Amino acid sequence: MEKTITGAEALMRALRDEGVTTIFGYPGGAIMPVYDALYDYTRGEKKAFEHILVRHEQSAAHAAEGYARVSGEVGVCLVTSGPGATNTLTGVADAMMDSTPIVVIAGQVGVGALGTDAFQEVDLVGVAQPISKWSYQIRRPQDVAWAVSRAFFIARSGRPGPVVLDFPKNAQVETTEWVPQHVDFVRSYVPYPKVDEGRVRQAADLINSAKRPLALVGQGVELGNAHNELLEFLEKADIPAGRTMLGLSALPSDHPLNVGMLGMHGNYAPNVKEQECDVLIAIGMRFSDRVTGRTDTYARQAKVIHLDIDKSEIDKNVKTDVAVIGDCKVTLPAITRLLRKGNHREWRESFLPLAEQERQRVVLPAIAPTEGPLLMGEVVHAVAEATHGEAVLVTDVGQNQMFACRYFQYRRRRSVVSSGGLGTMGYGLPAAIGAVFGAPDRQVCLFMGDGGLQMSIQEFGTIMEQQTPVKMVLLNNNFLGNVRQWQDMFFERRKSFTRMLNPRYESICKAYGIGYRLVRDRARLAEAVDEMLRTPGPFMMECVIREEDNVLPITPPGKSVDEMLLGIDD
């Protein structure tokens, strides 16, 4: 009979049984027994994990997110109690908003010291509960295997999301017999609802009778691995499809039914046509305010079909006529089987003049300027052309995010890693590190602004240590660009504290052993992109951007989606 083992050792075995191979973390006092056990599991005969030492606990959570988004697996981060744990909470909230499956394991003071304001004690379960799918405190070593299995089941099933495990020190060092656990059922939790065949028929009938159908494709298609099912649905019914920002790679950029990105800075045609379609089919998206604009005027003329795995999203923001609740990998083919072969050529072609209007007024000036300083759009376009739609796009938040998402190209699934719902500046650099470990066979291209970079610049240390081959593109305009644009448009050009004083990034990259190239002249842009992509290991291309480069089109706040502005002075 096997001798008893510590709770820390039980955690290692439980993580191994869940198929974990990569852990992002930062050690500290209350998690030291776990790190001591981890030592043996990162080398020798027991080796099961690769541990990535980040430079800040928030980055551990974001790296776990990036890993999860590209791999489809659960991201894992390991931190200590108190500030170590609270530093991860931005990442937890970010993962909750964007339905990203991560498990955060945090040390805690011993059970006997709880409630005494012990050193680095914080009520992590209480703080994390509103922003996670599940938060739980493991008080006994014999509960470790069950809690870990349950955590991973909840994180990855249904609508994915973050789980937080609080691990008091006594439970790490006390002993128990090892009994593996496998949790695949939680009472009152129904991750995959039974599909209502009546609703499926109603949806199919509406689509069959539609003259001007429009599909809105969200990240739910990516999370449900329903890419093939989506294509079969769209192609059979001949339905044009717009994509949310997080759903961009759910449909290849060059697919003939793809009509562009939805939302405040999306493409002109799908935003206008949302107000003209007669049937609107939302697939795995949540009708974010950045997609709908004013909800009281949004798609009032259309019958709305909503396919989602999460019942709480139905009628939350937009009133639905037919709700088909379930996994879209199941619901899409169920509807497709009942569809007649569609032909909506005239409706699809009505998008073309609007797309051409945007191309002439917005796209060509953004990606192919002939004079003046560099623009963000042309830099993104140059990298997109050089990577042929095969790379993973990672962005920070702000103008860099909008330009990158608009002008990058996607041929492969799970190719967009960006902070959507929470809009977390500083997300990009650690998320890109995580993406490299989640998809080691793919090129990872990170676009960031000077503001977001400086919120997580300490992760250059992680890149240096791991030689993480992230290709970083710094779009430097010496401003908090998105806020500056809004100040110019809506606050009488009063630039209140948005100008940035930047350091010499060349010196910083040199200190960390990261390849670097400064680009000021567009005549040198193509060769700089080529150098970045050919250089082994990490590389940063800093591009000096026109300070008042603006993201267009834009739906101003408080306006309807068809009131998009193609120009600042419109």
Side-chain angles (χ1 to χ4, degrees), residues 376 398-400 425 449-451 477-488 498 500 547 549-551:
M376 296 190 196
Q399 287 183 317
N400 67 90
M425 288 181 67
D450 42 309
N477 58 6
N478 296 306
F479 270 101
L480 297 175
N482 219 36
V483 184
R484 190 275 310 154
Q485 179 174 337
W486 280 49
Q487 288 173 339
D488 283 352
T498 46
M500 300 286 289
E547 289 190 346
D549 195 6
N550 292 313
V551 187

mmCIF file with all atom_site columns, all heavy atoms in Angstrom, residues 376 398-400 425 449-451 477-488 498 500 547 549-551:
data_model
loop_
_atom_site.group_PDB
_atom_site.id
_atom_site.type_symbol
_atom_site.label_atom_id
_atom_site.label_alt_id
_atom_site.label_comp_id
_atom_site.label_asym_id
_atom_site.label_entity_id
_atom_site.label_seq_id
_atom_site.pdbx_PDB_ins_code
_atom_site.Cartn_x
_atom_site.Cartn_y
_atom_site.Cartn_z
_atom_site.occupancy
_atom_site.B_iso_or_equiv
_atom_site.pdbx_formal_charge
_atom_site.auth_seq_id
_atom_site.auth_comp_id
_atom_site.auth_asym_id
_atom_site.auth_atom_id
_atom_site.pdbx_PDB_model_num
ATOM 1   N N   . MET A 1 376 ? -0.845  53.170 -38.607 1.00 0.00 ? 376 MET A N   1
ATOM 2   C CA  . MET A 1 376 ? -1.008  51.854 -37.991 1.00 0.00 ? 376 MET A CA  1
ATOM 3   C C   . MET A 1 376 ? -1.531  50.831 -38.988 1.00 0.00 ? 376 MET A C   1
ATOM 4   O O   . MET A 1 376 ? -1.072  49.682 -39.023 1.00 0.00 ? 376 MET A O   1
ATOM 5   C CB  . MET A 1 376 ? -1.951  51.944 -36.791 1.00 0.00 ? 376 MET A CB  1
ATOM 6   C CG  . MET A 1 376 ? -1.427  52.791 -35.656 1.00 0.00 ? 376 MET A CG  1
ATOM 7   S SD  . MET A 1 376 ? -2.437  52.621 -34.158 1.00 0.00 ? 376 MET A SD  1
ATOM 8   C CE  . MET A 1 376 ? -1.877  54.051 -33.242 1.00 0.00 ? 376 MET A CE  1
ATOM 9   N N   . GLY A 1 398 ? -6.700  49.120 -27.315 1.00 0.00 ? 398 GLY A N   1
ATOM 10  C CA  . GLY A 1 398 ? -6.645  50.494 -27.773 1.00 0.00 ? 398 GLY A CA  1
ATOM 11  C C   . GLY A 1 398 ? -6.669  50.547 -29.284 1.00 0.00 ? 398 GLY A C   1
ATOM 12  O O   . GLY A 1 398 ? -7.177  49.644 -29.958 1.00 0.00 ? 398 GLY A O   1
ATOM 13  N N   . GLN A 1 399 ? -6.109  51.623 -29.846 1.00 0.00 ? 399 GLN A N   1
ATOM 14  C CA  . GLN A 1 399 ? -6.096  51.756 -31.294 1.00 0.00 ? 399 GLN A CA  1
ATOM 15  C C   . GLN A 1 399 ? -5.338  50.616 -31.954 1.00 0.00 ? 399 GLN A C   1
ATOM 16  O O   . GLN A 1 399 ? -5.718  50.128 -33.020 1.00 0.00 ? 399 GLN A O   1
ATOM 17  C CB  . GLN A 1 399 ? -5.464  53.094 -31.682 1.00 0.00 ? 399 GLN A CB  1
ATOM 18  C CG  . GLN A 1 399 ? -6.340  54.305 -31.400 1.00 0.00 ? 399 GLN A CG  1
ATOM 19  C CD  . GLN A 1 399 ? -5.683  55.580 -31.885 1.00 0.00 ? 399 GLN A CD  1
ATOM 20  O OE1 . GLN A 1 399 ? -4.485  55.789 -31.688 1.00 0.00 ? 399 GLN A OE1 1
ATOM 21  N NE2 . GLN A 1 399 ? -6.449  56.446 -32.518 1.00 0.00 ? 399 GLN A NE2 1
ATOM 22  N N   . ASN A 1 400 ? -4.235  50.172 -31.320 1.00 0.00 ? 400 ASN A N   1
ATOM 23  C CA  . ASN A 1 400 ? -3.475  49.052 -31.881 1.00 0.00 ? 400 ASN A CA  1
ATOM 24  C C   . ASN A 1 400 ? -4.361  47.824 -32.063 1.00 0.00 ? 400 ASN A C   1
ATOM 25  O O   . ASN A 1 400 ? -4.232  47.089 -33.044 1.00 0.00 ? 400 ASN A O   1
ATOM 26  C CB  . ASN A 1 400 ? -2.282  48.736 -30.974 1.00 0.00 ? 400 ASN A CB  1
ATOM 27  C CG  . ASN A 1 400 ? -2.701  48.191 -29.619 1.00 0.00 ? 400 ASN A CG  1
ATOM 28  O OD1 . ASN A 1 400 ? -2.849  46.994 -29.435 1.00 0.00 ? 400 ASN A OD1 1
ATOM 29  N ND2 . ASN A 1 400 ? -2.910  49.065 -28.642 1.00 0.00 ? 400 ASN A ND2 1
ATOM 30  N N   . MET A 1 425 ? -5.706  46.838 -20.729 1.00 0.00 ? 425 MET A N   1
ATOM 31  C CA  . MET A 1 425 ? -4.383  47.259 -21.188 1.00 0.00 ? 425 MET A CA  1
ATOM 32  C C   . MET A 1 425 ? -3.319  46.489 -20.416 1.00 0.00 ? 425 MET A C   1
ATOM 33  O O   . MET A 1 425 ? -3.487  46.190 -19.235 1.00 0.00 ? 425 MET A O   1
ATOM 34  C CB  . MET A 1 425 ? -4.200  48.762 -20.993 1.00 0.00 ? 425 MET A CB  1
ATOM 35  C CG  . MET A 1 425 ? -4.996  49.606 -21.961 1.00 0.00 ? 425 MET A CG  1
ATOM 36  S SD  . MET A 1 425 ? -4.740  51.383 -21.714 1.00 0.00 ? 425 MET A SD  1
ATOM 37  C CE  . MET A 1 425 ? -3.022  51.576 -22.207 1.00 0.00 ? 425 MET A CE  1
ATOM 38  N N   . GLY A 1 449 ? 0.418   49.180 -28.228 1.00 0.00 ? 449 GLY A N   1
ATOM 39  C CA  . GLY A 1 449 ? 0.721   50.599 -28.201 1.00 0.00 ? 449 GLY A CA  1
ATOM 40  C C   . GLY A 1 449 ? 1.719   50.893 -27.100 1.00 0.00 ? 449 GLY A C   1
ATOM 41  O O   . GLY A 1 449 ? 2.022   50.040 -26.257 1.00 0.00 ? 449 GLY A O   1
ATOM 42  N N   . ASP A 1 450 ? 2.219   52.122 -27.087 1.00 0.00 ? 450 ASP A N   1
ATOM 43  C CA  . ASP A 1 450 ? 3.211   52.490 -26.086 1.00 0.00 ? 450 ASP A CA  1
ATOM 44  C C   . ASP A 1 450 ? 2.620   52.518 -24.685 1.00 0.00 ? 450 ASP A C   1
ATOM 45  O O   . ASP A 1 450 ? 3.321   52.269 -23.705 1.00 0.00 ? 450 ASP A O   1
ATOM 46  C CB  . ASP A 1 450 ? 3.870   53.833 -26.435 1.00 0.00 ? 450 ASP A CB  1
ATOM 47  C CG  . ASP A 1 450 ? 2.882   54.880 -26.952 1.00 0.00 ? 450 ASP A CG  1
ATOM 48  O OD1 . ASP A 1 450 ? 2.111   54.561 -27.870 1.00 0.00 ? 450 ASP A OD1 1
ATOM 49  O OD2 . ASP A 1 450 ? 2.890   56.020 -26.460 1.00 0.00 ? 450 ASP A OD2 1
ATOM 50  N N   . GLY A 1 451 ? 1.320   52.787 -24.561 1.00 0.00 ? 451 GLY A N   1
ATOM 51  C CA  . GLY A 1 451 ? 0.687   52.777 -23.243 1.00 0.00 ? 451 GLY A CA  1
ATOM 52  C C   . GLY A 1 451 ? 0.552   51.377 -22.685 1.00 0.00 ? 451 GLY A C   1
ATOM 53  O O   . GLY A 1 451 ? 0.955   51.099 -21.551 1.00 0.00 ? 451 GLY A O   1
ATOM 54  N N   . ASN A 1 477 ? 2.773   56.101 -30.990 1.00 0.00 ? 477 ASN A N   1
ATOM 55  C CA  . ASN A 1 477 ? 2.322   57.437 -31.394 1.00 0.00 ? 477 ASN A CA  1
ATOM 56  C C   . ASN A 1 477 ? 2.441   58.460 -30.263 1.00 0.00 ? 477 ASN A C   1
ATOM 57  O O   . ASN A 1 477 ? 1.900   59.572 -30.362 1.00 0.00 ? 477 ASN A O   1
ATOM 58  C CB  . ASN A 1 477 ? 0.876   57.385 -31.907 1.00 0.00 ? 477 ASN A CB  1
ATOM 59  C CG  . ASN A 1 477 ? -0.098  56.842 -30.875 1.00 0.00 ? 477 ASN A CG  1
ATOM 60  O OD1 . ASN A 1 477 ? 0.269   56.592 -29.722 1.00 0.00 ? 477 ASN A OD1 1
ATOM 61  N ND2 . ASN A 1 477 ? -1.339  56.646 -31.281 1.00 0.00 ? 477 ASN A ND2 1
ATOM 62  N N   . ASN A 1 478 ? 3.119   58.072 -29.185 1.00 0.00 ? 478 ASN A N   1
ATOM 63  C CA  . ASN A 1 478 ? 3.351   58.982 -28.047 1.00 0.00 ? 478 ASN A CA  1
ATOM 64  C C   . ASN A 1 478 ? 2.063   59.458 -27.387 1.00 0.00 ? 478 ASN A C   1
ATOM 65  O O   . ASN A 1 478 ? 2.055   60.501 -26.723 1.00 0.00 ? 478 ASN A O   1
ATOM 66  C CB  . ASN A 1 478 ? 4.188   60.194 -28.469 1.00 0.00 ? 478 ASN A CB  1
ATOM 67  C CG  . ASN A 1 478 ? 5.577   59.796 -28.919 1.00 0.00 ? 478 ASN A CG  1
ATOM 68  O OD1 . ASN A 1 478 ? 6.299   59.117 -28.205 1.00 0.00 ? 478 ASN A OD1 1
ATOM 69  N ND2 . ASN A 1 478 ? 5.937   60.195 -30.141 1.00 0.00 ? 478 ASN A ND2 1
ATOM 70  N N   . PHE A 1 479 ? 1.003   58.686 -27.556 1.00 0.00 ? 479 PHE A N   1
ATOM 71  C CA  . PHE A 1 479 ? -0.286  59.033 -26.946 1.00 0.00 ? 479 PHE A CA  1
ATOM 72  C C   . PHE A 1 479 ? -0.973  57.767 -26.443 1.00 0.00 ? 479 PHE A C   1
ATOM 73  O O   . PHE A 1 479 ? -0.707  56.662 -26.937 1.00 0.00 ? 479 PHE A O   1
ATOM 74  C CB  . PHE A 1 479 ? -1.222  59.697 -27.964 1.00 0.00 ? 479 PHE A CB  1
ATOM 75  C CG  . PHE A 1 479 ? -1.130  61.190 -28.042 1.00 0.00 ? 479 PHE A CG  1
ATOM 76  C CD1 . PHE A 1 479 ? -0.417  61.793 -29.062 1.00 0.00 ? 479 PHE A CD1 1
ATOM 77  C CD2 . PHE A 1 479 ? -1.755  61.997 -27.104 1.00 0.00 ? 479 PHE A CD2 1
ATOM 78  C CE1 . PHE A 1 479 ? -0.327  63.171 -29.153 1.00 0.00 ? 479 PHE A CE1 1
ATOM 79  C CE2 . PHE A 1 479 ? -1.678  63.366 -27.184 1.00 0.00 ? 479 PHE A CE2 1
ATOM 80  C CZ  . PHE A 1 479 ? -0.960  63.966 -28.208 1.00 0.00 ? 479 PHE A CZ  1
ATOM 81  N N   . LEU A 1 480 ? -1.850  57.942 -25.481 1.00 0.00 ? 480 LEU A N   1
ATOM 82  C CA  . LEU A 1 480 ? -2.883  56.943 -25.227 1.00 0.00 ? 480 LEU A CA  1
ATOM 83  C C   . LEU A 1 480 ? -3.911  57.161 -26.334 1.00 0.00 ? 480 LEU A C   1
ATOM 84  O O   . LEU A 1 480 ? -4.857  57.936 -26.202 1.00 0.00 ? 480 LEU A O   1
ATOM 85  C CB  . LEU A 1 480 ? -3.494  57.139 -23.835 1.00 0.00 ? 480 LEU A CB  1
ATOM 86  C CG  . LEU A 1 480 ? -2.518  56.955 -22.664 1.00 0.00 ? 480 LEU A CG  1
ATOM 87  C CD1 . LEU A 1 480 ? -3.203  57.301 -21.343 1.00 0.00 ? 480 LEU A CD1 1
ATOM 88  C CD2 . LEU A 1 480 ? -1.981  55.531 -22.624 1.00 0.00 ? 480 LEU A CD2 1
ATOM 89  N N   . GLY A 1 481 ? -3.690  56.491 -27.453 1.00 0.00 ? 481 GLY A N   1
ATOM 90  C CA  . GLY A 1 481 ? -4.304  56.881 -28.714 1.00 0.00 ? 481 GLY A CA  1
ATOM 91  C C   . GLY A 1 481 ? -5.817  56.823 -28.742 1.00 0.00 ? 481 GLY A C   1
ATOM 92  O O   . GLY A 1 481 ? -6.466  57.707 -29.301 1.00 0.00 ? 481 GLY A O   1
ATOM 93  N N   . ASN A 1 482 ? -6.396  55.787 -28.169 1.00 0.00 ? 482 ASN A N   1
ATOM 94  C CA  . ASN A 1 482 ? -7.844  55.663 -28.228 1.00 0.00 ? 482 ASN A CA  1
ATOM 95  C C   . ASN A 1 482 ? -8.523  56.780 -27.437 1.00 0.00 ? 482 ASN A C   1
ATOM 96  O O   . ASN A 1 482 ? -9.503  57.374 -27.887 1.00 0.00 ? 482 ASN A O   1
ATOM 97  C CB  . ASN A 1 482 ? -8.262  54.294 -27.679 1.00 0.00 ? 482 ASN A CB  1
ATOM 98  C CG  . ASN A 1 482 ? -9.401  53.683 -28.465 1.00 0.00 ? 482 ASN A CG  1
ATOM 99  O OD1 . ASN A 1 482 ? -9.483  53.834 -29.677 1.00 0.00 ? 482 ASN A OD1 1
ATOM 100 N ND2 . ASN A 1 482 ? -10.297 52.998 -27.777 1.00 0.00 ? 482 ASN A ND2 1
ATOM 101 N N   . VAL A 1 483 ? -7.982  57.063 -26.261 1.00 0.00 ? 483 VAL A N   1
ATOM 102 C CA  . VAL A 1 483 ? -8.557  58.130 -25.443 1.00 0.00 ? 483 VAL A CA  1
ATOM 103 C C   . VAL A 1 483 ? -8.334  59.472 -26.128 1.00 0.00 ? 483 VAL A C   1
ATOM 104 O O   . VAL A 1 483 ? -9.226  60.335 -26.149 1.00 0.00 ? 483 VAL A O   1
ATOM 105 C CB  . VAL A 1 483 ? -7.934  58.129 -24.027 1.00 0.00 ? 483 VAL A CB  1
ATOM 106 C CG1 . VAL A 1 483 ? -8.604  59.181 -23.154 1.00 0.00 ? 483 VAL A CG1 1
ATOM 107 C CG2 . VAL A 1 483 ? -8.057  56.759 -23.382 1.00 0.00 ? 483 VAL A CG2 1
ATOM 108 N N   . ARG A 1 484 ? -7.146  59.659 -26.697 1.00 0.00 ? 484 ARG A N   1
ATOM 109 C CA  . ARG A 1 484 ? -6.864  60.900 -27.430 1.00 0.00 ? 484 ARG A CA  1
ATOM 110 C C   . ARG A 1 484 ? -7.853  61.103 -28.566 1.00 0.00 ? 484 ARG A C   1
ATOM 111 O O   . ARG A 1 484 ? -8.365  62.207 -28.786 1.00 0.00 ? 484 ARG A O   1
ATOM 112 C CB  . ARG A 1 484 ? -5.419  60.852 -27.945 1.00 0.00 ? 484 ARG A CB  1
ATOM 113 C CG  . ARG A 1 484 ? -4.883  62.161 -28.524 1.00 0.00 ? 484 ARG A CG  1
ATOM 114 C CD  . ARG A 1 484 ? -5.240  62.366 -29.985 1.00 0.00 ? 484 ARG A CD  1
ATOM 115 N NE  . ARG A 1 484 ? -4.926  61.223 -30.790 1.00 0.00 ? 484 ARG A NE  1
ATOM 116 C CZ  . ARG A 1 484 ? -5.553  60.932 -31.940 1.00 0.00 ? 484 ARG A CZ  1
ATOM 117 N NH1 . ARG A 1 484 ? -6.525  61.695 -32.403 1.00 0.00 ? 484 ARG A NH1 1
ATOM 118 N NH2 . ARG A 1 484 ? -5.224  59.852 -32.613 1.00 0.00 ? 484 ARG A NH2 1
ATOM 119 N N   . GLN A 1 485 ? -8.165  60.019 -29.307 1.00 0.00 ? 485 GLN A N   1
ATOM 120 C CA  . GLN A 1 485 ? -9.122  60.145 -30.414 1.00 0.00 ? 485 GLN A CA  1
ATOM 121 C C   . GLN A 1 485 ? -10.486 60.586 -29.912 1.00 0.00 ? 485 GLN A C   1
ATOM 122 O O   . GLN A 1 485 ? -11.129 61.451 -30.510 1.00 0.00 ? 485 GLN A O   1
ATOM 123 C CB  . GLN A 1 485 ? -9.238  58.823 -31.170 1.00 0.00 ? 485 GLN A CB  1
ATOM 124 C CG  . GLN A 1 485 ? -10.242 58.869 -32.323 1.00 0.00 ? 485 GLN A CG  1
ATOM 125 C CD  . GLN A 1 485 ? -10.255 57.604 -33.167 1.00 0.00 ? 485 GLN A CD  1
ATOM 126 O OE1 . GLN A 1 485 ? -9.290  56.855 -33.210 1.00 0.00 ? 485 GLN A OE1 1
ATOM 127 N NE2 . GLN A 1 485 ? -11.365 57.366 -33.856 1.00 0.00 ? 485 GLN A NE2 1
ATOM 128 N N   . TRP A 1 486 ? -10.935 60.006 -28.811 1.00 0.00 ? 486 TRP A N   1
ATOM 129 C CA  . TRP A 1 486 ? -12.224 60.392 -28.251 1.00 0.00 ? 486 TRP A CA  1
ATOM 130 C C   . TRP A 1 486 ? -12.184 61.833 -27.732 1.00 0.00 ? 486 TRP A C   1
ATOM 131 O O   . TRP A 1 486 ? -13.164 62.564 -27.857 1.00 0.00 ? 486 TRP A O   1
ATOM 132 C CB  . TRP A 1 486 ? -12.625 59.421 -27.130 1.00 0.00 ? 486 TRP A CB  1
ATOM 133 C CG  . TRP A 1 486 ? -13.197 58.137 -27.644 1.00 0.00 ? 486 TRP A CG  1
ATOM 134 C CD1 . TRP A 1 486 ? -12.676 57.344 -28.615 1.00 0.00 ? 486 TRP A CD1 1
ATOM 135 C CD2 . TRP A 1 486 ? -14.399 57.503 -27.214 1.00 0.00 ? 486 TRP A CD2 1
ATOM 136 N NE1 . TRP A 1 486 ? -13.470 56.230 -28.812 1.00 0.00 ? 486 TRP A NE1 1
ATOM 137 C CE2 . TRP A 1 486 ? -14.537 56.307 -27.954 1.00 0.00 ? 486 TRP A CE2 1
ATOM 138 C CE3 . TRP A 1 486 ? -15.356 57.804 -26.259 1.00 0.00 ? 486 TRP A CE3 1
ATOM 139 C CZ2 . TRP A 1 486 ? -15.611 55.441 -27.785 1.00 0.00 ? 486 TRP A CZ2 1
ATOM 140 C CZ3 . TRP A 1 486 ? -16.437 56.928 -26.076 1.00 0.00 ? 486 TRP A CZ3 1
ATOM 141 C CH2 . TRP A 1 486 ? -16.555 55.767 -26.844 1.00 0.00 ? 486 TRP A CH2 1
ATOM 142 N N   . GLN A 1 487 ? -11.069 62.228 -27.158 1.00 0.00 ? 487 GLN A N   1
ATOM 143 C CA  . GLN A 1 487 ? -10.946 63.619 -26.709 1.00 0.00 ? 487 GLN A CA  1
ATOM 144 C C   . GLN A 1 487 ? -11.068 64.569 -27.892 1.00 0.00 ? 487 GLN A C   1
ATOM 145 O O   . GLN A 1 487 ? -11.724 65.612 -27.806 1.00 0.00 ? 487 GLN A O   1
ATOM 146 C CB  . GLN A 1 487 ? -9.613  63.825 -25.987 1.00 0.00 ? 487 GLN A CB  1
ATOM 147 C CG  . GLN A 1 487 ? -9.556  63.179 -24.608 1.00 0.00 ? 487 GLN A CG  1
ATOM 148 C CD  . GLN A 1 487 ? -8.176  63.242 -23.990 1.00 0.00 ? 487 GLN A CD  1
ATOM 149 O OE1 . GLN A 1 487 ? -7.172  63.398 -24.690 1.00 0.00 ? 487 GLN A OE1 1
ATOM 150 N NE2 . GLN A 1 487 ? -8.104  63.115 -22.673 1.00 0.00 ? 487 GLN A NE2 1
ATOM 151 N N   . ASP A 1 488 ? -10.439 64.203 -29.016 1.00 0.00 ? 488 ASP A N   1
ATOM 152 C CA  . ASP A 1 488 ? -10.519 65.043 -30.207 1.00 0.00 ? 488 ASP A CA  1
ATOM 153 C C   . ASP A 1 488 ? -11.931 65.095 -30.771 1.00 0.00 ? 488 ASP A C   1
ATOM 154 O O   . ASP A 1 488 ? -12.399 66.157 -31.213 1.00 0.00 ? 488 ASP A O   1
ATOM 155 C CB  . ASP A 1 488 ? -9.555  64.533 -31.286 1.00 0.00 ? 488 ASP A CB  1
ATOM 156 C CG  . ASP A 1 488 ? -8.113  64.914 -31.012 1.00 0.00 ? 488 ASP A CG  1
ATOM 157 O OD1 . ASP A 1 488 ? -7.866  65.703 -30.076 1.00 0.00 ? 488 ASP A OD1 1
ATOM 158 O OD2 . ASP A 1 488 ? -7.225  64.432 -31.736 1.00 0.00 ? 488 ASP A OD2 1
ATOM 159 N N   . THR A 1 498 ? -3.141  62.547 -21.919 1.00 0.00 ? 498 THR A N   1
ATOM 160 C CA  . THR A 1 498 ? -3.038  61.391 -22.805 1.00 0.00 ? 498 THR A CA  1
ATOM 161 C C   . THR A 1 498 ? -1.716  61.354 -23.562 1.00 0.00 ? 498 THR A C   1
ATOM 162 O O   . THR A 1 498 ? -1.413  60.341 -24.206 1.00 0.00 ? 498 THR A O   1
ATOM 163 C CB  . THR A 1 498 ? -4.199  61.360 -23.819 1.00 0.00 ? 498 THR A CB  1
ATOM 164 O OG1 . THR A 1 498 ? -4.377  62.667 -24.387 1.00 0.00 ? 498 THR A OG1 1
ATOM 165 C CG2 . THR A 1 498 ? -5.483  60.907 -23.157 1.00 0.00 ? 498 THR A CG2 1
ATOM 166 N N   . MET A 1 500 ? 2.133   60.686 -23.938 1.00 0.00 ? 500 MET A N   1
ATOM 167 C CA  . MET A 1 500 ? 3.048   59.801 -23.236 1.00 0.00 ? 500 MET A CA  1
ATOM 168 C C   . MET A 1 500 ? 4.493   60.247 -23.457 1.00 0.00 ? 500 MET A C   1
ATOM 169 O O   . MET A 1 500 ? 4.882   60.553 -24.585 1.00 0.00 ? 500 MET A O   1
ATOM 170 C CB  . MET A 1 500 ? 2.913   58.361 -23.757 1.00 0.00 ? 500 MET A CB  1
ATOM 171 C CG  . MET A 1 500 ? 1.540   57.744 -23.595 1.00 0.00 ? 500 MET A CG  1
ATOM 172 S SD  . MET A 1 500 ? 1.175   57.283 -21.908 1.00 0.00 ? 500 MET A SD  1
ATOM 173 C CE  . MET A 1 500 ? 2.273   55.865 -21.725 1.00 0.00 ? 500 MET A CE  1
ATOM 174 N N   . GLU A 1 547 ? 0.992   60.866 -34.952 1.00 0.00 ? 547 GLU A N   1
ATOM 175 C CA  . GLU A 1 547 ? 0.411   60.995 -33.615 1.00 0.00 ? 547 GLU A CA  1
ATOM 176 C C   . GLU A 1 547 ? -1.104  61.033 -33.632 1.00 0.00 ? 547 GLU A C   1
ATOM 177 O O   . GLU A 1 547 ? -1.744  60.553 -32.702 1.00 0.00 ? 547 GLU A O   1
ATOM 178 C CB  . GLU A 1 547 ? 0.967   62.249 -32.917 1.00 0.00 ? 547 GLU A CB  1
ATOM 179 C CG  . GLU A 1 547 ? 2.432   62.111 -32.522 1.00 0.00 ? 547 GLU A CG  1
ATOM 180 C CD  . GLU A 1 547 ? 2.920   63.230 -31.639 1.00 0.00 ? 547 GLU A CD  1
ATOM 181 O OE1 . GLU A 1 547 ? 2.212   64.263 -31.527 1.00 0.00 ? 547 GLU A OE1 1
ATOM 182 O OE2 . GLU A 1 547 ? 4.009   63.073 -31.045 1.00 0.00 ? 547 GLU A OE2 1
ATOM 183 N N   . ASP A 1 549 ? -3.246  59.583 -35.793 1.00 0.00 ? 549 ASP A N   1
ATOM 184 C CA  . ASP A 1 549 ? -3.846  58.520 -36.600 1.00 0.00 ? 549 ASP A CA  1
ATOM 185 C C   . ASP A 1 549 ? -5.117  58.057 -35.895 1.00 0.00 ? 549 ASP A C   1
ATOM 186 O O   . ASP A 1 549 ? -5.106  57.787 -34.687 1.00 0.00 ? 549 ASP A O   1
ATOM 187 C CB  . ASP A 1 549 ? -2.849  57.363 -36.721 1.00 0.00 ? 549 ASP A CB  1
ATOM 188 C CG  . ASP A 1 549 ? -3.224  56.384 -37.817 1.00 0.00 ? 549 ASP A CG  1
ATOM 189 O OD1 . ASP A 1 549 ? -4.188  56.645 -38.565 1.00 0.00 ? 549 ASP A OD1 1
ATOM 190 O OD2 . ASP A 1 549 ? -2.537  55.344 -37.929 1.00 0.00 ? 549 ASP A OD2 1
ATOM 191 N N   . ASN A 1 550 ? -6.224  57.971 -36.633 1.00 0.00 ? 550 ASN A N   1
ATOM 192 C CA  . ASN A 1 550 ? -7.513  57.641 -36.024 1.00 0.00 ? 550 ASN A CA  1
ATOM 193 C C   . ASN A 1 550 ? -8.084  56.342 -36.567 1.00 0.00 ? 550 ASN A C   1
ATOM 194 O O   . ASN A 1 550 ? -7.901  56.017 -37.747 1.00 0.00 ? 550 ASN A O   1
ATOM 195 C CB  . ASN A 1 550 ? -8.521  58.771 -36.283 1.00 0.00 ? 550 ASN A CB  1
ATOM 196 C CG  . ASN A 1 550 ? -8.164  60.040 -35.546 1.00 0.00 ? 550 ASN A CG  1
ATOM 197 O OD1 . ASN A 1 550 ? -7.848  60.020 -34.367 1.00 0.00 ? 550 ASN A OD1 1
ATOM 198 N ND2 . ASN A 1 550 ? -8.186  61.170 -36.257 1.00 0.00 ? 550 ASN A ND2 1
ATOM 199 N N   . VAL A 1 551 ? -8.775  55.611 -35.693 1.00 0.00 ? 551 VAL A N   1
ATOM 200 C CA  . VAL A 1 551 ? -9.453  54.382 -36.102 1.00 0.00 ? 551 VAL A CA  1
ATOM 201 C C   . VAL A 1 551 ? -10.802 54.754 -36.708 1.00 0.00 ? 551 VAL A C   1
ATOM 202 O O   . VAL A 1 551 ? -11.645 55.371 -36.054 1.00 0.00 ? 551 VAL A O   1
ATOM 203 C CB  . VAL A 1 551 ? -9.692  53.440 -34.906 1.00 0.00 ? 551 VAL A CB  1
ATOM 204 C CG1 . VAL A 1 551 ? -10.243 52.112 -35.408 1.00 0.00 ? 551 VAL A CG1 1
ATOM 205 C CG2 . VAL A 1 551 ? -8.428  53.214 -34.121 1.00 0.00 ? 551 VAL A CG2 1
#
